[in-house]
Amino acid sequence: MAFRRRSCAVLATGAVMMILIIMYFSAPSPTVVPFIPGTVDWSQFEHFHPADSIKPLPTDRPRRLPPVQADRSLFKHSELTEKRRAATRDEFLRSYNAYKKRAWMMDELAPLSGTGKTTFGGWAATLVDSLDTLWIMGLKKEFDEATIAISAMDFSVTNEGGINVFETTIRHLGGLLGAYELSRQPTLLQKAKEVGEMLYVAFDTPNRLPGFWLNFEDARNGRQVAGTNDPSASPASLTLEMTRLSQLTGDPKFYDAADRVIRFLDRVQNDTRLPGMWPLTVNFQGEVADGDTFSLGALADSLYEYLPKMHALLGGVDPMYERLYLTSADVITHDLLYRPMVPDNADILISGDVRVNNQGHNLSPESQHLTCFAGGMFGLGGRLTGNNTHVEIGKKLAQGCGWVYKAFPTGVMPEIYGMIPCESAESCEWDESKWKPHGDSIPKGFSHARDPRYILRPEAIESVFIMYRITGDTEWQDLAWKMFQSIVKVSRTELANAAIEDVTNSESPKIDSMESFWLAETLKYFYLIFSPPDLINLDEYVLTTEAHPFKRAR
Ligand code: DMJ
């Protein structure tokens, strides 16, 4: 084995927990939760392909970027808003308490059968992912209890042969860092460092670009290679978490590792089959991006999302992120976004896919719930770069997602659906003869709902929240409230909330699944949109793709 075990004795987790709880609750407040190191010290792993040099973190003084949030005076906090906020917190607590009772320390709660699931290495994904939501919602007792449990977690023990690098980064590393940002509990940063050191092992490949999986056996034997057909978002969405880890620990190697992926994307941005964007999957091993499909949905989404967010995190000192964002945003606007033909002639935008062939490129007007993050991306990117056209595009995208929610009988958007693009974005009259739905239950304006599930995803409320903070306009809160009520109505189970099979059916059967993003993201955004604008102010924080707040350089 290329890494050494720690010399400290491995105590039984139960006994450790008990001692910690006694120490914690008998000590005067504020208390520092003791850190229990994992059994493997990943920082001692000897890389087979060490980096020849480590790029230091930028030291330039952060630029004064334009404000993201609307003027403070535009926000009013009414009794109605407070009631709505309380409702989102209650919904969170139901699910959280059910997780606590039925699936404590497991990755997920199965909300119908009331059992636990192992989906992300067995490292309490739901608990780690929801830690900063507990803090934001003022659930201090729950936060403290969770922090004690997490500080005794051993991230080197798993029954899995490997872990998903992207998911572990956004859920575990992001979750720990976000909770540390808010609470300043040192043990959370120490745990984040342990996870970061483990993830850093994934970069031990001949070209220092990581694979999709960190396979422990391959790592031990120096057999790791980057993927030849990996989702572009996977290695490209590690920058925020790795950079923040470097900033907080002072060790630049994490930043250097993630930055190499973006430098590669920078080199090829204008040579792809849709110059300015990157294909859904990329050959990271050969450093070739010649795929023919382009989308803001699954496989590619957070690659784009992280460009303006890195610009914010670094305080604008690396011009690459702004350039990558602006260049890709132009192509997205021109080639992927379309105005759909809808019965009320609403002036909204939807994000489709593009396929390129020898004849040129074609828009496929199929969209996904996942693409709804784009409203927030254009809003945030537009504000940070002083580009009001982007903000207006963001508004129409967020309104488009809201429109789709309202159009289905459940009041909730399907996972995948199709619409009919208008011939002109300027004027577009509803023409019923052009509407040819596949299936009886498809609402007017849609061609299909190819995947009719709703799996408790956050992207629509995420964009609605960002638009609210950018404008201060209560119409976004009203839209959010309708979305919240519809989601709760269809997803609530005796214990918690569950994904549903079919948004076209108001009596839809439920699915025994509640992914960690329900507590980490969806309910956090619902809570925040009904909170005063200083709670996670977007001029102080940037939210990761899993909604974990990181302090911006200012
Ligand atoms: C989250 O885990 C993240 O937002 C990720 O980037 C993609 N989607 C899920 C939630 O839908």
Side-chain angles (χ1 to χ4, degrees):
M1 284 205 305
F3 53 85
R4 276 186 270 133
R5 284 194 172 269
R6 284 186 198 276
S7 54
C8 77
V10 185
L11 301 170
T13 314
V16 174
M17 288 282 295
M18 194 47 75
I19 296 164
L20 281 174
I21 290 169
I22 294 165
M23 280 166 62
Y24 183 79
F25 287 107
S26 55
S29 202
T31 311
V32 170
V33 176
F35 164 67
I36 311 286
T39 47
V40 171
D41 182 356
W42 291 103
S43 69
Q44 297 303 310
F45 179 88
E46 282 165 29
H47 283 234
F48 292 85
H49 309 282
D52 43 15
S53 64
I54 299 287
K55 182 176 165 182
L57 279 161
T59 49
D60 297 352
R61 219 172 134 187
R63 272 168 54 198
R64 227 184 144 74
L65 299 175
V68 173
Q69 295 208 164
D71 193 87
R72 184 73 186 75
S73 62
L74 291 172
F75 295 94
K76 309 270 176 294
H77 195 67
S78 65
E79 213 175 292
L80 174 69
T81 318
E82 195 47 44
K83 266 199 197 140
R84 290 172 169 180
R85 171 152 90 139
T88 62
R89 190 173 180 261
D90 290 349
E91 203 64 24
F92 173 91
L93 264 177
R94 275 186 88 247
S95 286
Y96 182 79
N97 285 333
Y99 167 78
K100 201 169 136 183
K101 200 161 158 205
R102 304 292 192 106
W104 183 246
M105 301 311 280
M106 310 251 333
D107 285 331
E108 285 172 23
L109 167 77
L112 299 178
S113 53
T115 53
K117 291 186 189 179
T118 296
T119 43
F120 295 108
W123 295 318
T126 294
L127 192 64
V128 177
D129 219 4
S130 22
L131 201 49
D132 56 22
T133 315
L134 290 170
W135 182 274
I136 288 169
M137 292 187 173
L139 301 166
K140 182 75 172 48
K141 187 170 70 63
E142 287 81 357
F143 178 86
D144 289 347
E145 185 185 35
T147 301
I148 291 168
I150 287 166
S151 70
M153 265 171 66
D154 190 343
F155 283 100
S156 40
V157 175
T158 174
N159 290 329
E160 313 296 311
I163 53 158
N164 182 310
V165 174
F166 167 75
E167 298 292 355
T168 310
T169 300
I170 66 166
R171 299 188 201 225
H172 289 97
L173 179 56
L176 291 164
L177 289 173
Y180 172 73
E181 290 280 22
L182 302 178
S183 69
R184 294 281 146 178
Q185 258 301 342
T187 185
L188 295 172
L189 180 57
Q190 286 166 297
K191 279 288 153 199
K193 176 136 189 309
E194 283 188 343
V195 178
E197 291 285 4
M198 174 178 65
L199 290 164
Y200 188 68
V201 169
F203 292 83
D204 185 21
T205 65
N207 65 352
R208 298 292 303 168
L209 301 184
F212 187 69
W213 295 99
L214 162 55
N215 176 300
F216 297 115
E217 194 55 33
D218 287 351
R220 271 188 208 103
N221 296 310
R223 282 200 307 256
Q224 293 193 102
V225 281
T228 52
N229 193 30
D230 274 358
S232 52
S234 172
S237 316
L238 311 175
T239 42
L240 277 179
E241 290 81 356
M242 288 295 190
T243 302
R244 194 64 189 131
L245 183 61
S246 281
Q247 291 173 331
L248 290 167
T249 58
D251 184 344
K253 73 180 183 190
F254 308 106
Y255 163 70
D256 168 78
D259 183 75
R260 285 167 193 263
V261 181
I262 311 302
R263 302 273 152 199
F264 154 57
L265 295 180
D266 185 29
R267 289 199 295 277
V268 297
Q269 182 176 31
N270 296 315
D271 300 327
T272 66
R273 299 180 77 179
L274 187 62
M277 289 187 73
W278 300 270
L280 282 190
T281 58
V282 168
N283 178 350
F284 287 97
Q285 198 182 110
E287 300 185 25
V288 180
D290 61 359
D292 60 5
T293 309
F294 298 81
S295 172
L296 294 185
L299 309 181
D301 45 5
S302 42
L303 182 175
Y304 299 96
E305 177 189 352
Y306 268 24
L307 302 174
K309 290 188 170 178
M310 273 301 282
H311 181 59
L313 184 77
L314 293 175
V317 296
D318 184 343
M320 174 181 70
Y321 288 100
E322 185 175 13
R323 186 180 69 242
L324 294 175
Y325 163 66
L326 290 172
T327 307
S328 56
D330 272 355
V331 182
I332 292 165
T333 307
H334 191 259
D335 294 322
L336 270 75
L337 306 188
Y338 68 93
R339 179 175 172 180
M341 183 186 73
V342 288
D344 61 358
N345 300 323
D347 187 7
I348 52 177
L349 285 173
I350 296 292
S351 179
D353 295 348
V354 162
R355 283 201 185 83
V356 183
N357 57 31
N358 294 340
Q359 276 74 53
H361 58 270
N362 299 312
L363 172 73
S364 154
E366 180 166 284
S367 197
Q368 306 169 28
H369 194 292
L370 282 166
T371 70
C372 280
F373 83 89
M377 176 184 76
F378 273 94
L380 182 72
R383 293 289 279 190
L384 290 170
T385 58
N387 185 329
N388 207 39
T389 310
H390 282 201
V391 177
E392 290 307 311
I393 291 170
K395 261 188 207 169
K396 287 189 186 183
L397 282 166
Q399 281 161 345
C401 291
W403 194 96
V404 176
Y405 263 68
K406 279 194 251 164
F408 281 85
T410 46
V412 180
M413 176 187 284
E415 183 74 356
I416 303 179
Y417 61 92
M419 296 185 87
I420 309 142
C422 295
E423 268 153 34
S424 147
E426 280 66 51
S427 85
C428 185
E429 288 293 308
W430 171 250
D431 175 354
E432 191 126 353
S433 67
K434 291 187 180 152
W435 176 56
K436 297 184 179 63
H438 296 273
D440 297 336
S441 51
I442 306 299
K444 278 192 183 172
F446 295 89
S447 48
H448 66 82
R450 187 162 71 74
D451 183 346
R453 290 173 306 150
Y454 171 65
I455 64 164
L456 305 173
R457 284 201 192 278
E459 293 77 16
I461 181 58
E462 169 182 340
S463 286
V464 169
F465 160 72
I466 293 173
M467 287 325 303
Y468 171 65
R469 288 292 180 89
I470 287 175
T471 60
D473 191 334
T474 52
E475 88 179 59
W476 297 107
Q477 288 181 315
D478 295 338
L479 171 60
W481 181 241
K482 286 206 179 83
M483 290 164 63
F484 175 74
Q485 287 176 302
S486 304
I487 292 172
V488 168
K489 191 164 172 214
V490 294
S491 69
R492 199 185 262 184
T493 71
E494 247 172 69
L495 291 167
N497 299 81
I500 67 165
E501 272 178 22
D502 186 359
V503 299
T504 68
N505 170 6
S506 336
E507 304 298 320
S508 169
K510 296 187 173 69
I511 305 169
D512 203 7
S513 165
M514 183 183 90
E515 285 217 43
S516 66
F517 49 68
W518 169 242
L519 298 181
E521 292 194 73
T522 313
L523 287 173
K524 183 188 283 154
Y525 284 124
F526 275 119
Y527 182 81
L528 285 175
I529 198 171
F530 300 121
S531 296
D534 304 324
L535 187 61
I536 314 296
N537 186 322
L538 298 180
D539 290 305
E540 287 169 38
Y541 292 96
V542 57
L543 290 153
T544 68
T545 191
E546 195 73 2
H548 299 303
F550 289 1
K551 272 249 179 231
R552 289 174 48 184
R554 296 164 82 216

